[in-house]
């Protein structure tokens, strides 16, 4: 057990704080939701009822989609684009998909390497893009989830104000959907760009997300 | 000269190769470029030189390079992680001392060698690793693989479960 925790500390840490904050969000969201219902003369709802509301689902999904979009774009952009001096970038001459030897594909796959990397056929083509494929699929699925939930919320508000409900397709063109989408995207793009640029000059000793403390500012693609 | 180092065969203590030179290079052996993080590789010299004093690591030169492989400590093939700076290649001396036949201890002190040759300085990192016996190592490797797979499954379940739950809410509520 101790070995398991030591070898998976990073993923366990983030899984724990993810679940803790998600649960925290449910309670804070329920209180906020009920406060608004009381203000409108409506009955309060239970915690479990709130967890199954589109209001909570939309809030969760719109944050998830932006995070997975952020990483999908970062994975894709760093294949071809570089930033001199940044820890988050490849070396300047390495932009592109790189050679099979560099990527350890086919006959260059080490003995303990992934089976699909050795196959050197369609399986290799899938496997060599699997990270981007899966992250993009999760982004699209969560964005779809956001649209469904926020659409329900939007129509509930329309009903409250005596306005006509809209179809899901119409809602995708509605400013409400795009405001909720873009407000999340912009913050992710700023954070990623900041990370790319700040790692040129700033350091964190011991973190692989930083260059070594003493590394020159123009040194690219080194981990501390 | 001892050859065939890394084959996992037990050796008596006095025959342990004292110095295993490791050299960080770009994987394609092209003129030195700064390739670290995911791209570094360590070349392990097959020829090693026995030291008269096993407790004092010495840099023995590059030796004859036989193959490239990702730098990681394997139970039977003790390569070491290297980190390459922009202007240094780092030749790493690794000493190996027998601790009975069941455990080997790898103590690595690194020496930086300027690309142009000449000046040498101490690397900032000294790594100590304890590697299990090859037999133990194989089972430990399988266990590590299971451990890592567990977290992959946990995260996949959280994400897929969350998406299915909230999409269902969106469809039904």
């Amino acid at each position: 057990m101790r070995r398991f925790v030591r070898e998976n500390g990073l993923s366990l840490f983030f899984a724990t704080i993810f679940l803790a904050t998600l649960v925290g969000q449910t309670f804070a969201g329920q209180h906020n939701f009920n406060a608004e219902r009381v203000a409108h003369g409506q009955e309060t709802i239970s915690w479990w009822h709130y967890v199954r509301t589109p209001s909570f689902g939309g809030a969760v999904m719109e944050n998830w989609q932006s995070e997975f979009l952020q990483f999908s774009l970062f994975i894709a952009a760093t294949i071809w684009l570089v930033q001199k001096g940044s820890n988050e970038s490849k070396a300047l001459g390495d932009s592109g998909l790189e050679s099979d030897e560099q990527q350890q594909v086919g006959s260059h796959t080490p003995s303990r390497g992934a089976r699909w990397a050795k196959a050197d056929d369609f399986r290799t083509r899938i496997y060599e893009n699997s990270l981007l494929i899966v992250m993009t699929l999760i982004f699209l699925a969560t964005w779809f989830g956001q649209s469904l939930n926020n659409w329900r919320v939007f129509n509930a508000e329309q009903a409250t104000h005596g306005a006509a409900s809209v179809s899901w397709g119409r809602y995708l063109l509605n400013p409400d959907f795009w405001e909720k989408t873009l407000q999340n995207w912009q913050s992710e793009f700023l954070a990623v760009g900041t990370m790319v640029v700040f790692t040129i000059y700033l350091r964190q000793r011991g973190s692989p997300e930083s260059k070594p403390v003493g590394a020159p500012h123009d040194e690219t693609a080194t981990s501390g | 000269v001892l050859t065939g180092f890394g084959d996992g065969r037990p050796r008596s203590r006095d025959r342990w190769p004292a110095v295993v030179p490791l050299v960080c290079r770009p994987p394609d052996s092209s003129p030195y470029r700064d390739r670290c993080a995911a791209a570094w590789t360590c070349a392990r010299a097959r020829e090693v030189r026995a030291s008269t004093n096993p407790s004092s690591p010495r840099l023995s030169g590059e030796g004859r390079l036989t193959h490239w492989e990702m730098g990681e400590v394997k139970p039977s093939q003790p390569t070491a992680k290297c980190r390459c700076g922009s202007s240094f290649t780092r030749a790493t001396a690794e000493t190996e001392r027998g601790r009975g036949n069941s455990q080997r201890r790898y103590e690595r002190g690194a020496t930086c060698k300027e690309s142009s040759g000449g000046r040498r300085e101490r690397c900032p990192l000294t790594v100590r690793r304890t590697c299990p016996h090859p037999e133990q190592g194989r089972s430990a490797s399988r266990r590590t693989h299971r451990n890592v797979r567990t977290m992959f499954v946990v995260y996949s379940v959280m994400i897929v479960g969350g998406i299915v739950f909230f999409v269902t809410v969106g469809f039904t509520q």
Side-chain angles (χ1 to χ4, degrees):
Chain A
M1 184 61 185
R2 185 185 289 176
R3 178 194 170 96
F4 180 85
V5 171
R6 193 182 69 241
E7 290 183 348
N8 298 281
L10 196 58
S11 54
L12 283 171
F13 171 71
F14 278 102
T16 303
I17 61 173
F18 159 67
L19 292 173
T21 49
L22 184 65
V23 170
Q25 183 188 347
T26 63
F27 285 107
Q30 182 207 4
H31 281 281
N32 187 41
F33 193 80
N34 279 339
E36 284 188 14
R37 286 180 70 88
V38 168
H40 289 90
Q42 296 170 308
E43 286 185 9
T44 59
I45 62 172
S46 68
W47 175 83
W48 177 236
H49 188 171
Y50 172 72
V51 167
R52 290 176 293 128
T53 60
S55 175
F56 177 65
V60 173
M61 287 287 100
E62 71 182 57
N63 282 282
W64 283 25
Q65 60 88 358
S66 63
E67 303 300 336
F68 284 98
L69 172 67
Q70 170 195 350
F71 282 108
S72 300
L73 279 180
F74 197 49
I75 294 163
T78 50
I79 298 171
W80 289 284
L81 304 179
V82 294
Q83 174 59 57
K84 184 174 182 178
S86 176
N87 177 53
E88 302 293 334
S89 165
K90 295 200 287 189
L92 299 187
D94 286 345
S95 66
L97 297 174
E98 302 184 4
S99 67
D100 284 358
E101 186 180 3
Q102 285 173 300
Q103 290 293 318
Q104 303 184 1
V105 171
S107 60
H108 304 287
T109 307
S111 56
R112 289 172 63 239
R115 253 202 329 264
W116 281 34
K118 289 179 198 164
D120 208 14
D121 54 20
F122 74 95
R123 289 170 293 178
T124 306
R125 302 291 88 76
I126 294 172
Y127 188 64
E128 67 189 10
N129 296 296
S130 55
L131 183 61
L132 181 57
I133 290 170
V134 169
M135 297 296 271
T136 304
L137 286 177
I138 295 173
F139 156 64
L140 293 173
T142 49
W143 199 21
F144 175 64
Q146 176 204 332
S147 71
L148 279 179
N149 283 277
N150 285 349
W151 169 53
R152 298 286 186 186
V153 173
F154 182 80
N155 276 343
E157 285 178 7
Q158 291 284 93
T160 304
H161 296 99
S165 60
V166 299
S167 68
W168 176 73
R170 293 282 301 216
Y171 178 70
L172 295 185
L173 303 173
N174 192 286
D176 181 78
F177 173 66
W178 283 102
E179 187 203 1
K180 286 178 169 134
T181 295
L182 295 175
Q183 72 174 354
N184 284 282
W185 287 6
Q186 54 87 11
S187 60
E188 305 303 336
F189 299 155
L190 175 67
V192 172
T194 303
M195 194 68 184
V196 168
V197 173
F198 277 17
T199 58
I200 299 172
Y201 295 105
L202 306 181
R203 307 282 186 270
Q204 178 53 57
R205 185 175 185 143
S207 174
E209 300 306 315
S210 161
K211 293 194 284 191
V213 178
H217 295 323
D218 62 353
E219 186 172 298
T220 310
T222 51
S223 276
Chain B
V1 173
L2 297 175
T3 58
F5 175 72
D7 58 7
R9 285 179 297 164
R11 294 176 172 85
S12 61
R13 180 172 180 145
D14 61 340
R15 292 196 63 209
W16 287 106
V19 179
V20 179
L22 295 171
V23 180
C24 289
R25 285 271 177 79
D28 56 3
S29 303
S30 60
Y32 185 79
R33 286 177 298 157
D34 177 22
R35 294 186 53 82
C36 285
W40 51 254
T41 57
C42 292
R44 184 164 63 83
R46 194 178 178 87
E47 289 184 7
V48 292
R49 198 174 62 184
S51 167
T52 52
N53 179 7
S55 64
S56 65
R58 286 187 295 144
L59 194 71
S60 70
E62 293 189 8
R64 180 160 54 85
L65 306 182
T66 55
H67 62 283
W68 304 98
E69 61 187 346
M70 290 299 291
E72 63 176 300
V73 175
K74 297 175 186 174
S76 60
Q77 292 180 316
T79 58
K81 280 193 172 185
C82 297
R83 197 169 66 186
C84 309
S86 61
S87 58
F88 288 94
T89 55
R90 292 184 180 176
T92 304
E94 180 172 319
T95 61
E96 183 186 46
R97 295 180 214 154
R99 289 285 177 97
N101 282 336
S102 63
Q103 196 177 59
R104 300 169 182 177
R105 185 178 180 195
Y106 303 105
E107 187 177 8
R108 184 156 65 94
T111 303
C112 294
K113 187 171 63 176
E114 216 167 27
S115 299
S116 56
R119 191 166 68 90
R120 289 179 179 178
E121 65 177 41
R122 190 83 179 155
C123 274
L125 287 179
T126 298
V127 179
R128 286 171 182 270
R129 291 178 189 275
T130 301
C131 290
H133 185 270
E135 290 305 316
Q136 296 172 351
R138 272 192 281 278
S139 65
S141 175
R142 276 198 295 274
R143 196 158 60 238
T144 297
H145 188 70
R146 269 204 306 276
N147 285 347
V148 175
R149 191 170 53 201
T150 299
M151 291 313 297
F152 186 81
V153 171
V154 166
Y155 269 75
S156 299
V157 167
M158 284 196 303
I159 292 167
V160 174
I163 291 171
V164 169
F165 179 80
F166 290 118
V167 167
T168 305
V169 166
F171 269 119
T172 57
Q173 294 293 312

